[in-house]
């Protein structure tokens, strides 16, 4: 399925101006949102420059488009790390199985 999605995005949606929405891709390929995101992630991990922004997914037409998506992903990584760290701090208030208060996991 990844190859089919890749060929379609590369052929029909190269460049930010030609982005395709996630709901449109889901309809076209009969996928749920989470499954589509998994396929897109797999393609990105293989090195294909599939970008995204508020208008949808597109195949990068320039390094600037690619950089914008990389910057967006970096921002999400930071926010996820902050949430994780907050949960680690919250975990110290819960007793472990022995009934003792746990130390942070960091």
């Amino acid at each position: 399925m990844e190859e089919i999605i890749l060929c379609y995005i590369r052929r029909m949606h190269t460049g930010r101006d030609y982005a395709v929405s996630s709901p449109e891709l889901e309809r076209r390929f009969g996928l749920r949102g989470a499954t589509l995101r998994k396929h897109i992630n797999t393609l990105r991990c293989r090195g294909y420059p599939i970008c995204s922004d508020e208008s949808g997914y597109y195949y990068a037409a320039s390094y600037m488009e690619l950089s914008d998506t990389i910057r967006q992903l970096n921002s999400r990584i930071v926010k996820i790390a902050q949430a994780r760290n907050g949960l680690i701090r919250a975990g110290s208030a819960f007793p472990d199985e022995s009934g003792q208060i746990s130390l942070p996991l960091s």
Side-chain angles (χ1 to χ4, degrees), residues 47-61:
Y48 294 103
I50 298 178
C51 297
S52 59
D53 63 14
E54 62 279 349
S55 42
Y57 292 105
Y58 57 94
Y59 198 88

Side-chain angles (χ1 to χ4, degrees), residues 1 8 14 21 27-29 33 37 48 64 79 98 101:
M1 179 58 70
Y8 175 75
T14 293
S21 71
R27 278 191 297 276
R28 175 169 290 279
F29 297 110
R37 288 187 298 276
Y48 294 103
M64 173 154 304
K79 289 175 184 166
S98 68
I101 299 295

Side-chain angles (χ1 to χ4, degrees), residues 2-90:
E2 280 95 7
E3 293 300 318
I4 294 169
I5 294 169
L6 172 64
C7 289
Y8 175 75
I9 291 175
R10 187 179 349 193
R11 186 177 71 248
M12 303 299 293
H13 301 284
T14 293
R16 179 180 285 128
D17 292 341
Y18 299 99
V20 60
S21 71
S22 182
E24 174 60 28
L25 288 174
E26 292 165 30
R27 278 191 297 276
R28 175 169 290 279
F29 297 110
L31 300 172
R32 299 185 74 172
T35 304
L36 175 64
R37 288 187 298 276
K38 179 181 163 227
H39 289 311
I40 295 292
N41 187 60
T42 297
L43 289 167
R44 287 172 168 174
C45 289
R46 290 182 187 166
Y48 294 103
I50 298 178
C51 297
S52 59
D53 63 14
E54 62 279 349
S55 42
Y57 292 105
Y58 57 94
Y59 198 88
S62 69
Y63 183 75
M64 173 154 304
E65 289 179 349
L66 188 60
S67 291
D68 290 345
T69 295
I70 292 168
R71 197 170 18 263
Q72 173 196 28
L73 290 173
N74 283 337
S75 173
R76 287 168 45 194
I77 289 168
V78 168
K79 289 175 184 166
I80 289 169
Q82 290 169 341
R84 175 189 165 271
N85 292 340
L87 290 173
I88 289 170
R89 287 190 307 275

